[in-house]
Amino acid sequence: MSEDHGHGWQGELLDLPAYLKRVGHDGGLAPTAATLRALHRAHVTSIPFENLEIMLGRPIELSLDAVQAKLVGRPRGGYCFEHNRLFAAVLERLGYEVAAVAGRVTLGSAKILPATHALLHVRPPDASRDEPAWLCDVGFGAGPLEPLRLVDGEEAVQDGWGFRLRRGRTVTTWTPHTAEWEMHQRGPGGWVQRHTFVLNEVFRIDFEVGSYYVSTSARSPFTTRPFVQKFSSDALRVLDGTKLTVTRPDGTAESRTLAPEDVPGTLAEDFGIVLEGEDPDRLVEFVRARN
């Protein structure tokens, strides 16, 4: 066996039938734009976003075996590095051209924030280089349902949810030809910049570095409380600490606060996340201590 130099996504090691069963995709697998849209939608609506391993005191493992065992083999989810580690392997296995890029989550802020979000730049193998590539974002937790074409200013409305890609500013005076892209999401008050990214390729080792910061730094929002999301065509469900919010495509939202002991049951019922063994009690203890 040749030495693994860290290129590519090890799609040959993927249990593709198990993944397709997990996301409920029983359609065609030819590496076309239509297949890409179908797989993206199936993944986003089937596997939730969650950071619970951090609350439970365990490291986030990004080997393909570990990610498959958690997101496919168990009723669990993960955050962007786990989701896109898995989805990149799926697309590579099917024959797509896949490259990862790093994003900076801004949510409307003008402050420079660390590049801690993973996205995928994807082309069907027979696509002309004159055609725009696709941006896949299965690991944010709040959509989009389907990939977006990398076209400046193009808006996509997907089952009532609005998304837009725009070219932003030049990144620095030292790299005048490197343009930043912006992902925008439509909210009740209009368009909000969700994150920015530059089309510079990153690799599996970069996922490891970003994931370590996100899962261990006191400055990371993911080390302080449970944060779980489940996206579908008709609702975005978010558990932020003990606050459960359900938002509809028209922007209407309902919220309620859970008792700590109700969190594991809500994870199972609303998010399809089933904690095993001592994990429910450990999570309740963490939430109580933080509250």
Side-chain angles (χ1 to χ4, degrees), residues 249-260:
D250 64 3
T252 59
E254 302 172 357
S255 298
R256 62 188 175 94
T257 300
L258 307 176

Side-chain angles (χ1 to χ4, degrees), residues 84-133:
N84 284 297
R85 175 70 180 90
L86 176 63
F87 199 56
V90 171
L91 298 182
E92 183 182 76
R93 172 71 171 269
L94 295 178
Y96 292 91
E97 297 179 14
V98 185
V101 296
R104 302 178 189 273
V105 178
T106 58
L107 298 177
S109 172
K111 182 179 179 180
I112 295 178
L113 297 167
T116 55
H117 182 49
L119 308 106
L120 300 177
H121 178 279
V122 180
R123 286 185 184 277
D126 59 352
S128 166
R129 292 294 161 178
D130 294 330
E131 298 177 34

Side-chain angles (χ1 to χ4, degrees), residues 12-45:
E12 73 280 1
L13 303 179
L14 178 77
D15 186 343
L16 184 59
Y19 172 82
L20 297 174
K21 181 178 179 180
R22 172 73 165 105
V23 301
H25 178 80
D26 57 3
L29 295 177
T32 63
T35 300
L36 181 63
R37 289 193 296 268
L39 286 171
H40 195 289
R41 178 179 285 261
H43 185 117
V44 166
T45 57

Side-chain angles (χ1 to χ4, degrees), residues 22-24 41-48 71 76 230-231 271-272:
R22 172 73 165 105
V23 301
R41 178 179 285 261
H43 185 117
V44 166
T45 57
S46 299
I47 308 179
L71 275 67
R76 290 289 303 275
K230 185 70 180 292
F231 193 60
F271 298 90

Side-chain angles (χ1 to χ4, degrees), residues 197-248:
F197 60 95
V198 176
L199 295 180
N200 287 340
E201 186 174 9
V202 299
F203 303 94
R204 281 184 272 138
I205 188 62
D206 300 306
F207 277 33
E208 297 277 355
V209 173
S211 180
Y212 183 79
Y213 172 85
V214 166
S215 63
T216 63
S217 173
R219 298 178 63 185
S220 167
F222 290 159
T223 60
T224 60
R225 87 287 193 218
F227 190 71
V228 185
Q229 299 185 99
K230 185 70 180 292
F231 193 60
S232 67
S233 61
D234 62 353
L236 169 63
R237 288 172 170 81
V238 178
L239 179 65
D240 188 345
T242 56
K243 183 180 180 181
L244 177 65
T245 301
V246 181
T247 303
R248 304 295 176 184

